[in-house]
Amino acid sequence: MRPQPASSPYAATSVSGAGELLQLLRDERPRTRAELAKLTGLARSTVGARVDALLASGLLAPSGEAASTGGRPPVRFAFNPEARVVIGADIGATHGRVALTDLSGRPLSEIAESLDITDGPEVVLDWVVATTRRLLDQAGREPRELIGIGIGVPGPVEHSSGRPMRPPIMPGWDGYDVPGHVRRHLDVPVLVDNDVNIMALGEHAMAHPEIEHLLFVKVATGIGAGIISGGRLHRGAVGAAGDLGHVAAPHAADVLCSCGNLGCLEAVASGPAISKALAEIHVTAESNADIVDLVRSGNIPAALAVRQAGRTIGEVLATCVSLLNPSVIVIGGTLSEAGESLIAGVREIVYGRSLPLATGALQIVPATTGTQAGVIGAATMVIQHALTADRVDRAIARSVAQSAS
Ligand SMILES: [Zn+2]
């Protein structure tokens, strides 16, 4: 980096710290320079220099005027989520959804198509790249305005490298360098995680941003959980935290699971397990959508089977509540669309089983982001990565160096 000319308004000392100021402003509330000085305890001149640096980067924008106390009214500034764009991609077993979002994770546009994850990483990731280009084109945004791409996949991922790890339903993806492939076409940070973790991030960011301890449970063909602890996603040592589906369920000792073990939660309370239970009493439900349709149309055996699955999930969640003490449990995934049956079963057991101290303020609620949870969460993962104080400082320093050269 070249030395800054003395006249630069963004001399190195004032630029560093701009990123930290931005963290305060991420709530999108407009504030004046004086309000920011009071809030941070920094000198007015320091705040002024940091505000200028953020204004030049576009991350901050003027946002109306404060009431005047005599003289010219002071200008307010707010975080400008439109300054850059983000791509969130949600890859399922048979579908893909890619959204272009702003820096708040709000989808601006999206494209969803059928795909087959067993076609392998090259085919599927080339589709993500092509869809990203289409979305940028349609929105009139340049690739250089893209701060990163977040991708969720339906299997375990080593988050630090973005490589799937022995994913059972993703043949050809084991150990594949997902970020490397995407970055050969679009040179931006590429972050990868499993679908449940990104759904947890999406639901947390959109519906419960103020909640520090939240457990997101996906109930569909598989069962999994995303753990938000201290406001951050808890991934565990190798990214396997939250793998609820293969926890032993009480009273299920002899049921064989697809993983080869006996008595897993997924073997007795997932969509396929419910279908199997219904088949035994001659009720046909071939898919998760069939189960949801049956319950919604008032089919009593289907509603009872879903409620029983909720109770079984609740038994495992009661243990999680004792361990993690969340204040919100969100129930998502296709089967959560069956209405109250599933969540009623979960509540019955969790509230009945856990100690009052842990459940006194515990809410158990349905997911609200629906099919968009994945893309919003994938974009949120990128935003949390790119907008940390030090990365914002470095990006500003880089653009100052470029404009000075
Ligand atoms: Zn299992």
Side-chain angles (χ1 to χ4, degrees):
M1 198 174 98
R2 291 179 181 211
Q4 297 299 306
S7 62
S8 167
Y10 316 123
T13 49
S14 56
V15 166
S16 106
E20 206 172 318
L21 187 65
L22 185 71
Q23 306 308 310
L24 267 176
L25 288 151
R26 292 270 301 278
D27 63 6
E28 297 181 42
R29 198 178 302 160
R31 296 183 179 89
T32 64
R33 286 188 178 89
E35 284 165 350
L36 286 169
K38 201 170 160 195
L39 210 59
T40 55
L42 294 166
R44 291 280 291 266
S45 57
T46 309
V47 167
R50 291 177 187 181
V51 164
D52 286 343
L54 290 170
L55 284 170
S57 74
L59 290 169
L60 206 61
S63 175
E65 291 170 343
S68 170
T69 50
R72 200 155 56 93
V75 182
R76 285 206 157 110
F77 304 97
F79 174 55
N80 173 24
E82 285 154 34
R84 307 280 191 284
V85 287
V86 188
I87 284 288
D90 175 20
I91 308 297
T94 57
H95 78 277
R97 183 182 293 268
V98 182
L100 182 77
T101 81
D102 66 14
L103 292 180
S104 302
R106 278 186 286 261
L108 305 169
S109 54
E110 66 172 39
I111 291 173
E113 280 175 17
S114 298
L115 59 78
D116 189 347
I117 196 129
T118 63
D119 283 344
E122 284 91 359
V123 172
V124 171
L125 296 173
D126 283 350
W127 175 80
V128 171
V129 169
T131 308
T132 297
R133 291 219 166 95
R134 262 169 76 194
L135 285 165
L136 286 170
D137 262 6
Q138 286 169 7
R141 310 291 297 236
E142 299 287 330
R144 65 180 163 76
E145 294 178 77
L146 183 64
I147 63 159
I149 298 176
I151 302 176
V153 296
V157 174
E158 185 186 60
H159 179 66
S160 58
S161 68
R163 293 170 189 265
M165 295 182 302
R166 291 182 288 285
I169 61 163
M170 299 168 65
W173 290 74
D174 185 21
Y176 191 80
D177 183 7
V178 173
H181 184 104
V182 174
R183 294 193 65 170
R184 278 200 287 281
H185 304 277
L186 290 159
D187 189 21
V188 290
V190 177
L191 304 181
V192 191
D193 208 337
N194 75 64
D195 54 354
V196 187
N197 277 352
I198 63 163
M199 287 167 87
L201 277 176
E203 187 70 22
H204 180 248
M206 287 296 138
H208 308 280
E210 75 294 349
I211 297 294
E212 294 264 301
H213 304 280
L214 174 148
L215 191 59
F216 178 92
V217 183
K218 176 192 167 189
V219 187
T221 303
I223 296 175
I227 304 160
I228 305 281
S229 180
R232 321 253 337 146
L233 188 65
H234 174 81
R235 294 188 170 92
V238 293
D243 195 0
L244 271 194
H246 303 284
V247 167
H251 325 298
D254 56 349
V255 184
L256 183 65
C257 178
S258 61
C259 74
N261 284 329
L262 290 174
C264 294
L265 180 61
E266 205 164 284
V268 288
S270 62
I274 295 170
S275 290
K276 216 168 107 193
L278 288 173
E280 281 166 16
I281 52 168
H282 311 292
V283 177
T284 307
E286 282 174 2
S287 66
N288 298 342
D290 289 350
I291 297 169
V292 169
D293 287 346
L294 280 174
V295 175
R296 282 189 171 165
S297 66
N299 183 290
I300 307 268
L304 290 175
V306 169
R307 185 167 178 133
Q308 183 52 42
R311 287 192 193 105
T312 308
I313 294 165
E315 302 221 29
V316 171
L317 287 181
T319 306
C320 298
V321 166
S322 298
L323 268 179
L324 301 168
N325 186 205
S327 43
V328 175
I329 294 177
V330 181
I331 307 292
T334 355
L335 285 172
S336 70
E337 287 157 29
E340 276 294 301
S341 301
L342 184 72
I343 213 161
V346 173
R347 285 184 181 133
E348 185 186 319
I349 299 298
V350 172
Y351 288 133
R353 184 66 57 91
S354 310
L355 293 172
L357 180 63
T359 53
L362 173 66
Q363 295 177 60
I364 303 175
V365 296
T368 57
T369 41
T371 52
Q372 282 194 316
V375 290
I376 293 170
T380 301
M381 170 168 69
V382 171
I383 295 162
Q384 287 179 352
H385 169 87
L387 292 191
T388 57
D390 59 325
R391 286 204 182 84
V392 169
D393 281 351
R394 270 183 273 151
I396 289 176
R398 262 198 313 276
S399 69
V400 170
Q402 275 161 11
S403 61
S405 62

